[in-house]
Structures are given as structure tokens and as C-alpha cells.
């Protein structure tokens, strides 16, 4: 695993990326945030990301479609779903489709960091095997 | 208006059934998901609540209050819709947020597991294994949700008027059968039930207003409404904030009068290590609910250092508005020593039950505890649990007995051990049997006395010495026995009438 993780944040509320980016960058990781999921998918074609954090309910392309795309193109990318309006049932659907975990709004960046750390551990274990 | 609630599985056929039934009856079909969206728009973090339940996260007092706020929102929404016209609600626990409305038709729609797996595989485009796992997880989440929110097992058929299985009936035929069932007189609205819907609506509006208003946010309340007369009770430690309740309530339409009182009854529970799963704790919560009391916790530390640590948990409401649901990180707080003694879990349970009082840790053993009890005389009951746990059983029992006796001298309230709670304060089938036995024996005794008055008087008034001795012995035995039987009978009746 590289020292610095490449993390993508997708949420159609601009404030989410604005608040998460500096909080997650503190650890030295590279964070890219997108409000438009189409643009985010285009970026995913260009570059590999270790972790993608995406809101479930978004206009145009929703979080579950983003997940489908990632799982069919980059299986080792860990996807963390954010639920705001969506209930746990939708989050469970995401898990069944291969998402790593989910977190419900409102949350503190520290809570998200705990999930990211778990994802990193799994990524490391996968690389070892 | 008629209310029909369909409890359904995910990927069953409950949604189609609800829509078909609503269509046949000319009612509005209302999905839980619609109400959840509206609640989220109102700022209730439903996703957060559900996640905390399914991931078994620690429930803060804030989340406890948000749970009640969500329940109030659901009740208000269903009552508002029901007053406009007939509704068919489909989702979880619709009937559970409408307590007392006995005309609600409660339906459980079940489906074949294999059919559900096939539906999930098709809809989500996933393999059979994942589909089965998904269904099992969602079903388990629903069970956890029902247990947590309403303390009921959603799979228990006794919570429904009818359980309908899609494997044997087509949706249209099921809807037709239910339409006929809905015509039965048991499911029709009466004027009294109509008033009950108005009362429930007013109650939930008051709860929502209190939880939403900045001045009263965080105050845990119990609200009841009867014919536009509202009564609100809050626990003593919320007294300061609760002063604003009347001004919050006066803005609600339809409130004729308001009685706002503090729950003056407090139960104090003393332990060295807490465990919310213990039956004695469940009994304590039951008594607290019966008395409308809050339960304060004291963890007793048997050491020589005399100090008090206040562990009152006050809700801190983070405003997630305008920050996209991303809150500020808090500075790392050192994990408190008390965390390992079952206190957070016990507080959680009390929060869920709406009975959380103050929590403290008292060092210095008996002396500090006795001082504390002497200072605070606002308890109605002091319950001593497992203390002196480092000693062997015999010494522990003796020390505990001494402690109860010392605390009884200091406290103005009864001090009892956890073993005595059930027997002294709860009315169980055993008490019913004993009440009947005492009643029969007392009646028999009185019957014999009144039907043999002449003989009894003759026996008592005999002049021979040995007969007088016999009379004294008889009276000495009979009088306390009579007092005991009648006393126990009256005590049980008072307990049943909650007048203890």
C-alpha cells in the first residue's frame, strides 16, 4: 500500500466535500471531491482510487450506480456509502452489491476515519495474499 | 376514518397489496419510506437512528430523544392523514405508533423466502448467495428495530389481526379478502376513537414542538392529552429548560389547558457494577414506569478516597444544518473509568425507557454514600444491588444487610435490596393467587365469627380459671392472624391499584 491513500468523495451537496476534504487530508491522504457523479465516474476511468466515499441518494447517477461501476471496473477499490435520506435497507443493498461499509449523516469525520482505517486494513490484507 | 396498517417484508408483496387494497377501498396508500423522507426533511436523523440500532452503536441521550421525536412525527403524520380520510399504511410498526386505537386493522403480509430471493436476484442483479444474505440481514435489522423502538417481536403473530401469505393467494384476491375484513364492525371508527385520534395528534404535536424548540430541546417529556387538556411531565434534572415548556405549547392550536409537572418521584439504584440485562433492573424500570419516576444511578467504589464524580449525561444537540451532515470532530476525550462498569449500557436502557436520572460514582464506601443519601432527600425508593462483591457470599450478605439498615436511618424513603423489588412492588400472578387465598381465608374467618357470635361470647366469658387461660391463648393467636390475613389482602389490593 502506498503511504498516501487516494480517496474520492462524491456528494451532490458541495458542503460535504468542502468539510470532509480538509478533515481527511490531515492524515496526508490525497482527497478529490466531486458534486457531480458523472464527472466523478469520468475521473474514475482516468485514475485508480483506493477508497471512494459516495452519497447514496444523488441526482442523475446515484450512489448505487457509482458502486456498480466501481465494482465492475476496479474491484479492489473500497466503497463507503453515506446515507442521509436513505434508510438502512438501501445501505444493506449497497453492502450486498459489494460496498465496504456505510455511515449515516450526520457524522463526525472521526467516525468516517474509523471506517477508512478498517478499509485500509482490508486492502493491506488483500495485497498480502 | 379507517386505518389499515400492513407490516411487510422487504421484497415481499406488501407494497402491492397495500396499493391494491387502498385502490379498492378508495383510501390513500401511505408508505413508510414517504414518512421517513418527510421526517428527514424535518431534521430527524432517521438514517442515523436506524444505523445506530443495526450496528449496535452506543445510544446517546440525544439519539434517545431523536427516537421519541421520530415516533411523535410518525404518530402525528398518521393521525393527520387518518383525520382526512381512510389510509392504508405499509411499512414497519404502523399500529405501534397508534396506541389505544383499537379499530386499526393490523395485517402482516408474509411471502415465500424463495420467491423473495428470486425477486432480489432479479432486481439487484446479484448472485443467490448475496440475495439470501441480504434478505436475512434486512429481516434481522427489522427485528432489531421493532425490539428497540417498540419492544415487540415483529414476527409474533399476536400483534396482528391477520397474517396473509402470498404463496397461496394472488395479490388481487388477498386485497379482496382484506376489503371484506375491513368492513367488520371491529374495525370501524367510533366517536370515542375519533376523539382518541385527536388526542394522539395533539400529544405528538406537543412532543414535536418541545423537541424542536431551541429553548426546550433535550428535555425528555411524557405527554398525555385528553379532550384538548394536555399534561406534561419532565424529570427533575431538566427543570431549568422545562420552564419554557408552557410558552412552547401555547403556540399549538387546540390546547385548552396545560398542566406541566416535574416527576417528583426518584428511584435511586446503588450498585458496584451495573448490568441492564439483570431481571432486577428490568423490574426497577417497570416500577419507574408505573410511578412515572426517573432512576438515578450510583456506582459505589469501596476505597478510602472520599470523592464524588458526577456522571450526569446531558444531551448535546449537534446542529447538522448548513454543514451537509458533517459535524465537527471533538477533541479526543479520555475514556472514563466508569465505562467498564456497565454504566453506559444501563444509562442507555434508561434513556430508551425515558427514565434516565442522574448518574454518579461515589468513592469512599458506606460513609460517603450515607452522607449523600442524607443530603438528597428527594428519593421515593432506594434500591441496593450487588455491593461488597470482593467479599465471600456470607460476609457480603451481612455487610449488605448492615448497609440497608444504615441507609434506612439516613433516607426518608424505603431502602430495599434488589431481591425484594418484585415481591414488594410488582403485581405478579403469584400475588393474584395469594390475594385470592387471603380473601378466602379472611371471608371464612369473618363468616365463622359472625355466624357463631353467641358461642364465641360464651367461650370468652366463662368464669373457670383454666377456661379464661384458654380464652386468652385463643385471642392471642386469633387476633394477629386475623390482622395478618386482612392486612396482606389490603396490601395486595393497594399494590394492584398502584396506591402503595
Amino acid at each position: 500500500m502506498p503511504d498516501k491513500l487516494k480517496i474520492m468523495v462524491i456528494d451532490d451537496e458541495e458542503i460535504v466535500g468542502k468539510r470532509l476534504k480538509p478533515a481527511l487530508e490531515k492524515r496526508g491522504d490525497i482527497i478529490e471531491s466531486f458534486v457531480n457523479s458523472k464527472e466523478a465516474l469520468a475521473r474514475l476511468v482516468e485514475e485508480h482510487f483506493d477508497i471512494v466515499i459516495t452519497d447514496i441518494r444523488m441526482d442523475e447517477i446515484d450512489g448505487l450506480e457509482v458502486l456498480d461501476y466501481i465494482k465492475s471496473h476496479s474491484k479492489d477499490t473500497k466503497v463507503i456509502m453515506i446515507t442521509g435520506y436513505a434508510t438502512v435497507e438501501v445501505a444493506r443493498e449497497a453492502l450486498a452489491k459489494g460496498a465496504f461499509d456505510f455511515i449515516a449523516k450526520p457524522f463526525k469525520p472521526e467516525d468516517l476515519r474509523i471506517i477508512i482505517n478498517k478499509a485500509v486494513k482490508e486492502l493491506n490484507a488483500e495485497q498480502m495474499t | 376514518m379507517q386505518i389499515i396498517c400492513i407490516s411487510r417484508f422487504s421484497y415481499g408483496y406488501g407494497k402491492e397489496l397495500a396499493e391494491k387494497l387502498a385502490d379498492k377501498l378508495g383510501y390513500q396508500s401511505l408508505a413508510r419510506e414517504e414518512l421517513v423522507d418527510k421526517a428527514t426533511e424535518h431534521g430527524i436523523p432517521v438514517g442515523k437512528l436506524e444505523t445506530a440500532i443495526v450496528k449496535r452503536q452506543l445510544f446517546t441521550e440525544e439519539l434517545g430523544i431523536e427516537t421519541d421525536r421520530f415516533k411523535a412525527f410518525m404518530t402525528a403524520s398518521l393521525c393527520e392523514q387518518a383525520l382526512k380520510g381512510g389510509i392504508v399504511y405499509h411499512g414497519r410498526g404502523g399500529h405501534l405508533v397508534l396506541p389505544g386505537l383499537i379499530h386499526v386493522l393490523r395485517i402482516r403480509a408474509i411471502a415465500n423466502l424463495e420467491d423473495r430471493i428470486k425477486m432480489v436476484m432479479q432486481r439487484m442483479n446479484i448472485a443467490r448467495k448475496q440475495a439470501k444474505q441480504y434478505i436475512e440481514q434486512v429481516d434481522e435489522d427489522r427485528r432489531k428495530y421493532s425490539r428497540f423502538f417498540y419492544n415487540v417481536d415483529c414476527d409474533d403473530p399476536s400483534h396482528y389481526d391477520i397474517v396473509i401469505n402470498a404463496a397461496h393467494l394472488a395479490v388481487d384476491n388477498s386485497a379482496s379478502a382484506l376489503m371484506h375484513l375491513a368492513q367488520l364492525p371491529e374495525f370501524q371508527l367510533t366517536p370515542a376513537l375519533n376523539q382518541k385520534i385527536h388526542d394522539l395528534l395533539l400529544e405528538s404535536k406537543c412532543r414535536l414542538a418541545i423537541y424542536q424548540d431551541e429553548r426546550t430541546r433535550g428535555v425528555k417529556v411524557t405527554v398525555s392529552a385528553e379532550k384538548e387538556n394536555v399534561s406534561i411531565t419532565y424529570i427533575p434534572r431538566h427543570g431549568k429548560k422545562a420552564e419554557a415548556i408552557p410558552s412552547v405549547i401555547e403556540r399549538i392550536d387546540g390546547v385548552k389547558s396545560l398542566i406541566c409537572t416535574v416527576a417528583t418521584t426518584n428511584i435511586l439504584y446503588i450498585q458496584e457494577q451495573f448490568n441492564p440485562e439483570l431481571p432486577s433492573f428490568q423490574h426497577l424500570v417497570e416500577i419507574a414506569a408505573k410511578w412515572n419516576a426517573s432512576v438515578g444511578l450510583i456506582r459505589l467504589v469501596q476505597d478510602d478516597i472520599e470523592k464524588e464524580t458526577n456522571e450526569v449525561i446531558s444531551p448535546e444537540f449537534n446542529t447538522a444544518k448548513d454543514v451537509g451532515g458533517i459535524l465537527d470532530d471533538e477533541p479526543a476525550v479520555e475514556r472514563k473509568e466508569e465505562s467498564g462498569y456497565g454504566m453506559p449500557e444501563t444509562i442507555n436502557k434508561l434513556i430508551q425507557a425515558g427514565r434516565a436520572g442522574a448518574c454518579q460514582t461515589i468513592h469512599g464506601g458506606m460513609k460517603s454514600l450515607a452522607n449523600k443519601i442524607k443530603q438528597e432527600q428527594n428519593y421515593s425508593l432506594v434500591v441496593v444491588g450487588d455491593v461488597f462483591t470482593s467479599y465471600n457470599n456470607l460476609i457480603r450478605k451481612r455487610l449488605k444487610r448492615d448497609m440497608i439498615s444504615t441507609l434506612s436511618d439516613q433516607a426518608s424513603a424505603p431502602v430495599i435490596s434488589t431481591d425484594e423489588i418484585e415481591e414488594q412492588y410488582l403485581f405478579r400472578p403469584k400475588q393474584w393467587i395469594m390475594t385470592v387465598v387471603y380473601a378466602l381465608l379472611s371471608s371464612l374467618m369473618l363468616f365463622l365469627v359472625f355466624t357463631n357470635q353467641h358461642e364465641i361470647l360464651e367461650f370468652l366469658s366463662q368464669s373457670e380459671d383454666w377456661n379464661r387461660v384458654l380464652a386468652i391463648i385463643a385471642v392471642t393467636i386469633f387476633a394477629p392472624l386475623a390482622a395478618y390475613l386482612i392486612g396482606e389482602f389490603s396490601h395486595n389490593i393497594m399494590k394492584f391499584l398502584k396506591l402503595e
Side-chain angles (χ1 to χ4, degrees), chain A residues 32-80:
Chain A
E32 284 187 36
S33 70
F34 291 86
V35 282
N36 185 315
S37 41
K38 249 186 184 174
E39 283 174 20
L41 286 188
R43 180 75 181 121
L44 281 166
V45 174
E46 290 168 10
E47 188 134 1
H48 172 82
F49 282 81
D50 300 302
I51 295 169
V52 173
I53 300 158
T54 176
D55 191 11
I56 292 184
R57 203 180 279 190
M58 290 185 292
D59 294 335
E60 281 193 84
I61 299 171
D62 68 21
L64 291 174
E65 286 172 281
V66 171
L67 173 70
D68 284 340
Y69 176 84
I70 293 170
K71 287 294 135 186
S72 57
H73 289 84
S74 171
K75 281 195 171 152
D76 56 343
T77 298
K78 299 286 170 206
V79 184
I80 298 167

Side-chain angles (χ1 to χ4, degrees), chain B residues 207-489:
Chain B
R207 273 153 72 200
L208 280 173
I210 291 166
Y211 296 145
Q212 237 144 273
D213 196 289
E214 282 303 318
R215 293 167 293 169
T216 49
R217 217 164 169 211
V219 180
K220 181 77 184 77
V221 288
T222 310
V223 183
S224 65
E226 202 182 341
K227 292 177 183 165
E228 299 179 350
N229 299 305
V230 177
S231 167
I232 297 174
T233 314
Y234 55 90
I235 59 172
R237 73 185 162 91
H238 291 152
K240 193 78 193 152
K241 273 188 153 189
E243 284 170 10
I245 289 177
S247 57
V248 172
I249 298 299
E250 74 182 7
R251 289 183 303 184
I252 299 171
D253 287 339
V255 179
K256 206 192 282 174
S257 74
L258 170 71
I259 300 169
C260 196
T261 49
V262 59
T264 46
T265 322
N266 279 311
I267 298 173
L268 180 65
Y269 185 29
I270 304 162
Q271 279 271 43
E272 277 181 12
Q273 179 141 5
F274 290 93
N275 180 0
E277 301 306 323
L278 285 177
S280 53
F281 176 73
Q282 316 287 347
H283 295 152
L284 202 63
V285 175
E286 211 178 309
I287 295 170
K290 198 165 105 172
W291 292 358
N292 192 20
S294 60
V295 180
L297 306 180
I298 284 186
R299 186 172 83 81
L300 186 65
V301 182
Q302 306 282 355
D303 56 18
D304 300 329
I305 316 147
E306 278 189 37
K307 67 169 182 178
E308 267 179 39
T309 325
N310 212 337
E311 295 295 330
V312 177
I313 295 194
S314 301
E316 284 168 23
F317 286 88
N318 291 297
T319 317
K321 274 180 198 169
D322 310 323
V323 290
I326 314 298
L327 306 168
D328 289 327
D329 268 336
E330 280 165 8
V333 179
E334 206 180 314
R335 201 170 162 79
K336 284 179 179 152
E337 180 203 351
E338 280 64 34
S339 303
Y341 295 93
M343 236 175 170
E345 294 80 5
T346 310
I347 295 162
N348 264 352
K349 287 274 177 188
L350 289 172
I351 289 169
Q352 285 169 30
R355 300 282 151 212
C359 312
Q360 286 178 317
T361 296
I362 290 188
H363 294 257
M366 257 309 294
K367 197 178 159 195
S368 307
L369 183 64
N371 284 339
K372 175 83 192 159
I373 303 270
K374 201 176 176 180
Q375 282 164 22
E376 289 180 22
Q377 291 289 346
N378 61 342
Y379 301 115
S380 303
L381 181 67
V382 179
V383 180
V384 182
D386 291 332
V387 283
F388 305 105
T389 46
S390 56
Y391 296 93
N392 71 40
N393 205 21
L394 270 176
I395 301 175
R396 193 190 311 160
K397 273 186 181 168
R398 188 173 55 78
L399 289 171
K400 188 174 168 178
R401 229 182 7 248
D402 291 348
M403 178 189 254
I404 289 175
S405 155
T406 313
L407 294 182
S408 299
D409 295 340
Q410 305 292 335
S412 54
V415 182
I416 61 163
S417 151
T418 38
D419 317 323
E420 300 167 276
I421 300 175
E422 192 178 9
E423 197 187 318
Q424 289 208 23
Y425 294 99
L426 295 170
F427 208 81
R428 301 283 190 228
K430 189 184 155 196
Q431 261 92 23
W432 268 117
I433 297 166
M434 290 313 291
T435 309
V436 173
V437 171
Y438 291 136
L440 287 173
L441 288 174
S442 309
S443 309
L444 180 70
M445 189 182 65
L446 292 172
F447 174 77
L448 291 173
V449 168
F450 285 108
T451 50
N452 298 288
Q453 284 181 61
H454 183 70
E455 288 82 354
I456 292 169
L457 285 171
E458 216 170 69
F459 170 70
L460 293 174
S461 56
Q462 286 179 83
S463 51
E464 293 92 348
D465 285 348
W466 68 272
N467 269 343
R468 279 193 175 173
V469 172
L470 216 59
I472 290 166
I473 293 170
V475 170
T476 311
I477 295 170
F478 182 80
L481 184 71
Y484 174 79
L485 289 174
I486 295 170
E488 284 299 301
F489 171 72

